[in-house]
Amino acid sequence: MEKKQCNSVCKGIIIGSAVAVAALLTYPKTRKKIVEGAEEMRHAAQGATSYIKENREELIEKIRDTSTQISDALKSVSHDVKQISESAQHIKTSSIEVIDAARDAVEDIKKIKEPKKEDPFEGI
């Protein structure tokens, strides 16, 4: 069923396009504009083609330079990411060490503040 709908829609689009093109080509001004547009596109394509042919080596060299620059930039970014990762790991390790030291200090302070029980047998 969907295939039948697609076929009828496709036929409708083709017929509609053909009618639109025929209607456009019946008007001399429109026909002239279409021909002029096609000529401009042809000249632009020829100009681009000739430019590429004449400057092929220069374009290839620019592409090589650009790819080298991109490669260098990616290496630099990779190196920077590695350094950031190492720094983050160092910060994590240092933070754990600081927390452990603070806990030890708190425990030491608690021990110092605890009232000392006097030993009755001390000095004997």
Side-chain angles (χ1 to χ4, degrees), residues 88-100:
Q89 185 62 35
H90 178 61
I91 290 170
K92 180 181 175 184
T93 304
S94 298
S95 298
I96 292 171
E97 291 173 358
V98 168
I99 290 171
D100 289 343

Side-chain angles (χ1 to χ4, degrees), residues 34-49:
I34 291 172
V35 170
E36 288 173 356
E39 283 292 318
E40 287 178 19
M41 287 178 51
R42 184 176 64 87
H43 287 299
Q46 285 176 343
T49 303

Side-chain angles (χ1 to χ4, degrees), residues 11-65:
K11 286 178 185 177
I13 290 173
I14 292 171
I15 291 170
S17 299
V19 169
V21 169
L24 287 173
L25 292 177
T26 58
Y27 295 106
K29 286 183 180 179
T30 306
R31 191 171 49 239
K32 184 178 178 183
K33 285 184 181 180
I34 291 172
V35 170
E36 288 173 356
E39 283 292 318
E40 287 178 19
M41 287 178 51
R42 184 176 64 87
H43 287 299
Q46 285 176 343
T49 303
S50 65
Y51 178 79
I52 290 171
K53 285 180 182 177
E54 292 169 3
N55 301 302
R56 184 170 183 236
E57 293 300 320
E58 182 182 336
L59 291 172
I60 290 173
E61 190 61 33
K62 284 183 181 181
I63 290 170
R64 282 186 188 140
D65 289 344

Side-chain angles (χ1 to χ4, degrees), residues 42 51-52 67 71 82 89 92 102-103 113 119 121 123:
R42 184 176 64 87
Y51 178 79
I52 290 171
S67 65
S71 178
K82 184 179 177 183
Q89 185 62 35
K92 180 181 175 184
R103 284 184 184 149
K113 286 188 174 183
D119 188 9
F121 300 109

